[in-house]
Amino acid sequence: MDPRPDLLGLAPESLREVLGEVVDRPFRADQIFQALHVRGVREFAAMTELHKDLRGRLAERFRIGWPEIASRALSADGTCKYLFRLHDGASIEAVDIPDRERRTLCISSQAGCALACTFCVTGFWGAGRNLTAGEIVAQVLAIRADRELGPAGLRLVFMGMGEPLLNLEALRPALDILGRSISLRRITVSTAGVVPGIEAMAAWERRPNLAVSLHAPDDARRSQVMPINRSYPLAELLSALRGYPLERGRKITFEYILIRGFNDAVADADRLVKLLAGLRAKVNLIPINPDPVLGETMVPPADRQIEAFQQRLIQRGMTVTVRRRRGDDVSAACGQLRAFDRAARSKTAKAKSASQGR
Ligand code: SAH
């Protein structure tokens, strides 16, 4: 493993500090930041605005932590899933989702996830490790370079692998860096409801958009599919959200996976409205993406039922969107990121199901 520290996770102030004596003049740090994050330079040798011996000294001491693209899977709908190999061999996935003039990159905050939500394939494979700020930022750099994308029209969602609010230490500097080329208004952090993390973010001076994975309108059902609800039940979660400062015109997004026969009754739509009363909220309905490891009961409702659920929310004055399924032919859809190739996965999944009796 490369022992040199990675420069990609350092915002300009930290970069100035870390580079300290290595550079001849303080403004070099800003030049280097520009080269790394605006030009997307991958090697010190390409920083031709610096003297040759400075480039040499930098390369001796530091690295530029771009991940290796281990594979790329392009969906028929234009969605592209990336499997990245990190420098210690860990792998993560990120997804590029073009949608007319918009473009959303869905990125990971952890390699794996400890929360074990029953509907999510990442959780099925268990905990991994926190990503560093550099590893978070590098996903965006690598996809932008691969697809030749500028920052214009780009949106970022932290809806890949992992729970971003369990990795605030890296999330914060990563947002500081990413927020310099993409407005924080176009960046959304999605949480399973880590209350201390929400409270910490509430105190930040600059915040991205917040999305909360709700998925059930009461504690009994939420705890059944999201074990984290036992630590932070709905009353606590909603009270933290009521205290969360929102800029003008902003709303908290509530993600609600629709699972047939579990949480898709029109009466559940009514409960949801009641639960969110008084919050500046919008609801994003996500028909569940099934997966072989999830079991037969985890299937989406019929279109008719999805429509009825949505209509009820609209009738009751809620802002609602239904998330279209993207990239499911390459397992790039929500909850399908596991950072395994398919063949290896089906073998291991069988072994794992057998040993767990699932
Ligand atoms: N840990 C964070 C972010 C990662 S998950 C969170 O929980 O919000 C991003 C979104 O995908 C969450 O709303 C999650 O609940 C949803 N998701 C997970 N598995 C899914 C599945 N099988 N089908 C549809 N959405 C899923």
Side-chain angles (χ1 to χ4, degrees), residues 31 35 39 41 43-52 55:
Q31 276 185 318
R39 274 168 43 220
V41 159
E43 285 162 21
F44 293 106
M47 297 186 183
T48 47
E49 67 277 35
L50 309 178
H51 314 290
K52 197 154 180 246
R55 281 181 256 154

Side-chain angles (χ1 to χ4, degrees), residues 106-107 109-110 113 115 117 119-122 158-165 189-193 211-215 226 255-258 286-291 294 323 333-336:
C106 175
I107 58 179
S109 55
Q110 300 180 309
C113 187
L115 297 185
C117 300
F119 46 77
C120 177
V121 175
T122 307
F158 283 80
M159 296 184 187
M161 298 169 70
E163 169 50 47
L165 299 198
V189 170
S190 178
T191 179
V212 178
S213 295
L214 204 59
H215 306 333
M226 301 181 73
E255 295 155 287
Y256 190 95
I257 296 183
L258 287 165
I286 317 172
I288 187 169
N289 294 306
D291 189 281
L294 298 181
R323 194 178 293 176
C334 311
Q336 300 190 322

